Amino acid sequence: MRRTRAVAASVALLIAGPLFAQERPQDRVTVTAGGRRLEADFAESQLEKDGRRVTMLTGRVELSLGDGATGGESIRADRALAWSVDSGEEPALRELYVEGNITFRRADPKTKRETVFRAERLYVDFMGQKVYAIDLKARTYSDRLKTPLVLNAKEARTIAQGVLEAEEITITTCTFGDPDYRVFVARGTIKGQGRRDAKAPYDL
């Protein structure tokens, strides 16, 4: 968590070039990492002393982290920082930090049901399979209640596979922007249902 906060605090977002070819600023920049696609209006990268490459992407950032078999996970945001290691033809993505109007989507390939969450800041450690989110806003569907379920949390972090520890949680079945009613929990855990094994290193 310390690393995440340090990254968030120092969003000087430095980063520069060999991964990308961009002739004009208005061109969209695309890079693939481990078969996953990252795209933005502008990108820069630089190689650090420890051998990791740091890449900054700004402007309509789009990250495709899955394919049809894994559910087609995608992230959209205003800005992103990616830490990778150059290996072979494509870099291996290690960590990702995104911020600003984040939208994460995943479609279940069997049920076609879509999972959507929004956040202001999101940090992912792909090697450690850990996620940390600020101002998380998630919407799902309750099969038991037969109604949409809206969950917000000020902070949320993974503590085990499929389990989030969160603070300042609100839950409601009201879908209004300012819900008529809600349940507040100061601190708790959020557990996913229907375990799904990751089929690729970048599955969230």
Side-chain angles (χ1 to χ4, degrees):
M1 191 172 77
R2 264 185 223 151
R3 171 74 184 273
T4 306
R5 286 181 174 167
V7 170
S10 65
V11 179
L13 298 180
L14 280 171
I15 314 156
L19 277 180
F20 304 95
Q22 183 180 23
E23 296 179 0
R24 298 182 302 277
Q26 66 267 30
D27 291 345
R28 291 284 282 173
V29 179
T30 301
V31 64
T32 55
R36 302 302 178 245
R37 181 184 179 94
L38 295 84
E39 189 175 286
D41 287 340
F42 178 79
E44 298 180 9
S45 73
Q46 71 179 23
L47 197 62
E48 297 188 329
K49 291 181 180 179
D50 61 3
R52 293 186 309 163
R53 183 175 295 282
V54 187
T55 304
M56 176 185 70
L57 303 102
T58 58
R60 295 183 299 157
V61 176
E62 297 182 9
L63 305 129
S64 297
L65 298 174
D67 52 32
T70 61
E73 294 177 348
S74 66
I75 296 175
R76 289 187 177 183
D78 293 336
R79 295 167 294 279
L81 277 173
W83 288 264
S84 62
V85 176
D86 294 348
S87 58
E89 295 182 1
E90 293 186 344
L93 193 59
R94 293 290 190 262
E95 299 166 86
L96 178 69
Y97 170 78
V98 291
E99 68 172 20
N101 300 309
I102 300 165
T103 301
F104 169 87
R105 294 180 183 274
R106 178 185 179 273
D108 188 301
K110 293 182 179 178
T111 66
K112 306 304 180 185
R113 183 173 292 172
E114 190 175 56
T115 298
V116 179
F117 75 71
R118 291 179 170 80
E120 274 306 305
R121 296 177 180 175
L122 179 70
Y123 167 77
V124 184
D125 176 356
F126 292 107
M127 301 301 293
Q129 291 293 301
K130 295 187 181 298
V131 177
Y132 181 81
I134 299 290
D135 290 335
L136 178 69
K137 297 175 174 62
R139 180 169 175 166
T140 185
Y141 187 84
S142 171
D143 290 323
R144 184 173 65 85
L145 299 174
K146 305 299 181 186
T147 185
L149 189 64
V150 180
L151 181 147
N152 295 344
K154 190 65 177 175
E155 294 185 22
R157 66 191 67 81
T158 51
I159 55 175
Q161 186 177 16
V163 182
L164 292 173
E165 181 180 72
E167 298 177 10
E168 297 185 35
I169 306 166
T170 61
I171 305 169
T172 181
T173 57
C174 178
T175 57
F176 295 157
D178 184 13
D180 294 332
Y181 55 90
R182 71 193 83 186
V183 175
F184 177 80
V185 181
R187 186 169 188 168
T189 55
I190 303 166
K191 296 183 180 179
Q193 289 185 329
R195 175 170 173 164
R196 180 181 63 89
D197 293 330
K199 296 183 179 180
Y202 305 135
D203 289 354
L204 299 185

